[in-house]
Amino acid sequence: MQTSRRLFLKLLATTAISRGLLNAVQAAPHQKTFASGDALERGDHRFALISDLNGPYGSTLYSPTVARGLDLISELQPDLVLCAGDMVAGQKISLTDSQLEAMWSSFQSTILNPLLQQGIGMIPTMGNHDASSQKGASQYVFARERHQAERFWERQKSRLGLEFIDAKQYPFQFSVQQPGLFVVVIDASSAKVDRAQRQWLEQALASESRSSDDCCVVMGHLPLTAISQGRDRAGECIEDAMHLTDLMQRHRVDLYLSGHHHAWYPGELKGQRLLSLGAMGNGPRRLLGTQRTSDPSLTLLDLFPATKTVLETTFSLKTLEPISLNSLPKQLSSKSFPTLDRRETSWSYGS
Ligand SMILES: [Fe+2]
C-alpha cells in the first residue's frame, strides 16, 4: 500500500516535471506537496471532472474505481467537482419509485455527502441513466425517473456550493458562476437538444453575469461527435451537432464537456475545444480505431487566471497514474460523425 502510494506520488511528480510545471524546491502554499518533496502546481482554481459512475440497472452500489476516484479527489482537494452525468443506474421502465429513491439515496451517502463534508461542491448534469429526455408520442419515456431526479436535486440545491445565474429549469439546464468559471449545463441526456433549449443556451451564454475573465464551460452528457466504439451510432451523440458547435464558437465557449462514451479524449471539432471524460465506474470503452479499452479515469482542471491558462491532467483510476496524451490516437474518425482531432491539454481561455 505504502509502496504503491509512493509510486503514484513519484509518477505524479515525474509527469509534472516533464511538463515543466514543477518547482520541486519550495512549494507555494497553494501547491500540493508530496512525500518526495515535489509538487504538482496547483492552479488558483482547481476542478475535478468526473462522469459515468453508475453500476448495472437498479444498482445502489458503486465499483471500486469510484471509491478510488473519491480518494484521489480528497487528495487533490479541488474547489469543485463537475459531473457530466450517469450518477445512478436508471433508464429502465420497470424500476419502481422506491428503487429510484434508493439509488439516489446511495449516491447521496456514497458520493455527494463525502465531497460536501470536505467543502467540495458539485455541479451535476443529467445523464440518460439519471433522467433521460427521450420522448415517445411527445411524452417523456422516463418521466418518473426525471421526476425523481428533479426531486432529489431540488433537495440538494442549496447544499451544492453553487452561485446560480439561471436555474429556472434546474437540474436539467442551468447556469452557474463560480470563481474563475462560468458553466452552462444543458440537458443532453438523449440525442435531442431541441430548438427551445438551443435558444436558452444562447441566452445563457450571453448573460451579463458572465465575465470575459471567466473560463466558459458548457457541460452535457452526450458528446457532439463519436468518441468510442459501439457509441458511433444514432442516439449516442447529440443530433445536429454542427449547429450547436457553431453556436458555442459564436459565444466563445472555451470547452464542451461530455461523458457517455466512457473514454477520455481531449478533442477539437472544427475549432471548438471538446473533452470527452472517461468513465469513473463500470464499462470503459475502446476509442474509435483502437484495440485497447480505455482506463476508468477522472480529469483535473487547474486554472491560472494571471495568464488565463488551463492545465488538464487525467488520472487512470486503475493505476492512479496520469495518462499520457501521446497514448491517444491523433484523430478519431467514424463513418457517420464528424472527425475529431486530438488537441493539447494545456490551453488559453477567455477573450
Ligand atoms: Fe450515458
Side-chain angles (χ1 to χ4, degrees), residues 121-234:
M122 180 187 278
I123 307 180
T125 308
M126 296 304 115
N128 54 301
H129 290 297
D130 305 313
S132 170
S133 60
Q134 187 192 336
K135 282 188 173 174
S138 71
Q139 303 278 334
Y140 287 118
V141 174
F142 298 98
R144 273 191 310 114
E145 296 191 6
R146 285 178 73 84
H147 177 65
Q148 290 288 343
E150 190 174 8
R151 271 188 57 194
F152 174 77
W153 285 104
E154 202 55 57
R155 286 200 303 273
Q156 310 303 325
K157 192 175 175 188
S158 61
R159 309 175 65 218
L160 299 175
L162 303 179
E163 181 72 38
F164 289 96
I165 303 300
D166 180 343
K168 286 190 281 296
Q169 294 177 80
Y170 167 90
F172 303 106
Q173 53 188 79
F174 58 96
S175 55
V176 297
Q177 188 178 40
Q178 302 299 125
L181 193 69
F182 187 83
V183 181
V184 183
V185 172
I186 61 170
D187 186 355
S189 57
S190 73
K192 288 230 184 306
V193 174
D194 64 18
R195 198 198 302 185
Q197 193 179 180
R198 289 170 195 240
Q199 284 171 354
W200 173 84
L201 172 62
E202 196 140 25
Q203 285 167 17
L205 289 169
S207 164
E208 285 177 4
S209 303
R210 178 180 166 191
S211 156
S212 59
D213 290 333
D214 291 335
C215 178
C216 179
V217 174
V218 174
M219 179 161 62
H221 184 60
L222 263 59
L224 292 166
T225 191
I227 309 289
S228 65
Q229 294 175 38
R231 297 258 149 120
D232 52 338
R233 57 184 189 188

Side-chain angles (χ1 to χ4, degrees), residues 330-349:
K330 286 189 173 161
Q331 204 170 58
L332 301 180
S333 336
S334 66
K335 280 188 195 144
S336 317
F337 294 92
T339 296
L340 190 60
D341 294 314
R342 194 181 78 191
R343 61 167 175 81
E344 292 301 316
T345 49
S346 178
W347 41 273
S348 302
Y349 65 88

Side-chain angles (χ1 to χ4, degrees), residues 18-200:
S18 70
R19 293 179 185 181
L21 292 170
L22 191 67
N23 179 346
V25 183
Q26 275 197 328
H30 67 284
Q31 290 177 322
K32 181 83 185 157
T33 305
F34 296 108
S36 59
D38 297 336
L40 176 69
E41 189 179 7
R42 186 186 174 98
D44 297 77
H45 310 294
R46 171 173 279 186
F47 307 102
L49 315 179
I50 63 171
S51 191
D52 299 280
L53 289 66
N54 64 294
Y57 290 122
S59 175
T60 54
L61 301 176
Y62 290 91
S63 75
T65 53
V66 172
R68 209 172 294 166
L70 283 175
D71 286 347
L72 183 56
I73 290 171
S74 297
E75 181 80 21
L76 296 167
Q77 283 292 305
D79 307 333
L80 194 66
V81 169
L82 278 66
C83 180
D86 281 358
M87 299 166 275
V88 297
Q91 204 181 19
K92 193 173 189 184
I93 298 285
S94 59
L95 290 171
T96 63
D97 281 341
S98 59
Q99 281 177 299
L100 297 172
E101 280 169 21
M103 287 195 297
W104 282 115
S105 169
S106 171
F107 173 81
Q108 178 170 1
S109 57
T110 314
I111 315 288
L112 187 61
N113 285 352
L115 291 172
L116 297 180
Q117 280 155 12
Q118 297 172 71
I120 303 171
M122 180 187 278
I123 307 180
T125 308
M126 296 304 115
N128 54 301
H129 290 297
D130 305 313
S132 170
S133 60
Q134 187 192 336
K135 282 188 173 174
S138 71
Q139 303 278 334
Y140 287 118
V141 174
F142 298 98
R144 273 191 310 114
E145 296 191 6
R146 285 178 73 84
H147 177 65
Q148 290 288 343
E150 190 174 8
R151 271 188 57 194
F152 174 77
W153 285 104
E154 202 55 57
R155 286 200 303 273
Q156 310 303 325
K157 192 175 175 188
S158 61
R159 309 175 65 218
L160 299 175
L162 303 179
E163 181 72 38
F164 289 96
I165 303 300
D166 180 343
K168 286 190 281 296
Q169 294 177 80
Y170 167 90
F172 303 106
Q173 53 188 79
F174 58 96
S175 55
V176 297
Q177 188 178 40
Q178 302 299 125
L181 193 69
F182 187 83
V183 181
V184 183
V185 172
I186 61 170
D187 186 355
S189 57
S190 73
K192 288 230 184 306
V193 174
D194 64 18
R195 198 198 302 185
Q197 193 179 180
R198 289 170 195 240
Q199 284 171 354
W200 173 84

